[in-house]
Amino acid sequence: MIEISVSPVAFAIGSIEVKWYGIMIALAVLLLIAWMIWQVRRGAKLTYDEVLTGALVAIPSAVVFSRLLHVIDRWDYYSQFPDQIVGFEGLTIYGAIIGGALGIWIYSRFSKFRFGYVMDTVTPVVPLAQALGRVGCLLNGCCYGAETDAFCGVVYTNPDTAAPIGIAVHPTQAYEILFLLVVSAVIFKIKGKLKVEGSLFLIYISLYALWRFAIGFLREGTDFLFGLQQAQAVSLAVLIIVVPIFIYRIIQARRQAALDVDSD
């Protein structure tokens, strides 16, 4: 077993506590922005203003949707304590992805850039940003797995941890970090080889949906629908929507390519 005794609080400024989770989320956001700025410098069909404005739209959208899904998932609690609905302690990765993508899509309606192009441009580092967030989860103790006696189990001992103290659990946060690193490597490998805009993002979100559905059976959580956790139900919905869209766009692209050949 591996013992994790680190405090979730990195440091405090007066009465304000700065947690590792918040630091990792901030680093993840900075990574995404820095990547997009670098892509502009390398010749991406975007401007610096579009990147920064997109970030200003996507970040609050991601936070709002992330919090919304968490509140829905824990409505039995928040219905009793409505004053705690607004906050930053409980956030969901699916809410962040959906909210951020929706914010960028809305902004694309009022700008000149193409939504699919932008999502493909940012996708290679999205798994890395997620991995940073999961490092925060690992240190914070949240998003832990079910009890286990496996050699890779972790035991949290700090009294401020969000995990059960002194009980060996699956380090599902660490499992996901490794998975996301593999996904990022795959995305970088195929980047630039897919001609249909948006394909890279659709592949990434499909892979993550498959993972999130599977890992849910090793994670602690409350039943949301048909015995599944909320993230698992969302994963199925994502796959039902995304996979047909991906297939349809590939078929359409091939048909268009055939028509272009015939017209020549």
Side-chain angles (χ1 to χ4, degrees):
M1 298 294 176
I2 303 170
E3 180 179 315
I4 298 181
S5 58
V6 63
S7 172
V9 179
F11 60 90
I13 303 175
S15 61
I16 301 175
E17 293 183 338
V18 179
K19 296 186 176 182
W20 286 111
Y21 180 77
I23 292 174
M24 292 302 168
I25 293 297
L27 289 176
V29 172
L30 289 175
L31 172 62
L32 293 172
I33 295 174
W35 168 263
M36 292 301 287
I37 291 175
W38 186 47
Q39 294 307 297
V40 173
R41 294 190 63 179
R42 294 184 62 199
K45 299 174 184 178
L46 293 166
T47 66
Y48 293 114
D49 286 344
E50 287 173 333
V51 169
L52 295 178
T53 304
L56 291 175
V57 172
I59 292 171
S61 297
V63 172
V64 169
F65 271 80
S66 182
R67 182 65 178 176
L68 177 62
L69 287 189
H70 170 72
V71 170
I72 292 173
D73 189 36
R74 298 288 305 280
W75 183 244
D76 55 336
Y77 173 83
Y78 288 105
S79 62
Q80 302 297 318
F81 303 96
D83 59 306
Q84 297 184 27
I85 289 178
V86 178
F88 297 95
E89 285 295 319
L91 301 174
T92 63
I93 185 60
Y94 264 131
I97 294 173
I98 295 172
L102 180 61
I104 294 174
W105 179 80
I106 292 174
Y107 176 52
S108 72
R109 301 300 91 187
F110 300 93
S111 184
K112 296 180 180 179
F113 68 74
R114 303 185 302 274
F115 174 72
Y117 175 79
V118 172
M119 296 309 295
D120 280 352
T121 302
V122 73
T123 291
V125 294
V126 170
L128 296 179
Q130 279 185 257
L132 283 173
R134 285 305 184 202
V135 171
C137 292
L138 185 64
L139 297 176
N140 189 51
C142 59
C143 307
Y144 57 87
E147 291 187 34
T148 181
D149 56 2
F151 74 94
C152 57
V154 296
V155 178
Y156 287 89
T157 58
N158 191 284
D160 295 325
T161 184
I165 299 175
I167 299 175
V169 295
H170 278 288
T172 48
Q173 315 97 318
Y175 299 161
E176 185 157 315
I177 291 170
L178 294 175
F179 171 77
L180 290 168
L181 293 178
V182 172
V183 170
S184 183
V186 171
I187 295 298
F188 270 104
K189 182 71 174 179
I190 64 177
K191 182 171 71 75
K193 297 181 180 179
L194 301 174
K195 296 181 179 180
V196 181
E197 286 188 358
S199 295
L200 209 59
F201 175 70
L202 294 175
I203 290 174
Y204 147 73
I205 198 65
S206 297
L207 289 174
Y208 185 70
L210 286 170
W211 164 264
R212 195 63 190 80
F213 180 80
I215 198 65
F217 294 108
L218 285 181
R219 276 185 57 171
E220 289 294 321
T222 55
D223 290 347
F224 179 74
L225 185 67
F226 303 127
L228 299 175
Q229 297 173 17
Q230 184 195 65
Q232 291 179 299
V234 174
S235 294
L236 289 179
V238 168
L239 289 170
I240 291 172
I241 295 171
V242 169
V243 173
I245 290 176
F246 179 72
I247 295 173
Y248 172 78
R249 297 194 68 181
I250 293 296
I251 292 174
Q252 286 295 99
R254 289 181 176 177
R255 286 178 178 175
Q256 185 59 50
L259 288 174
D260 291 341
V261 172
D262 291 340
S263 63
D264 290 341

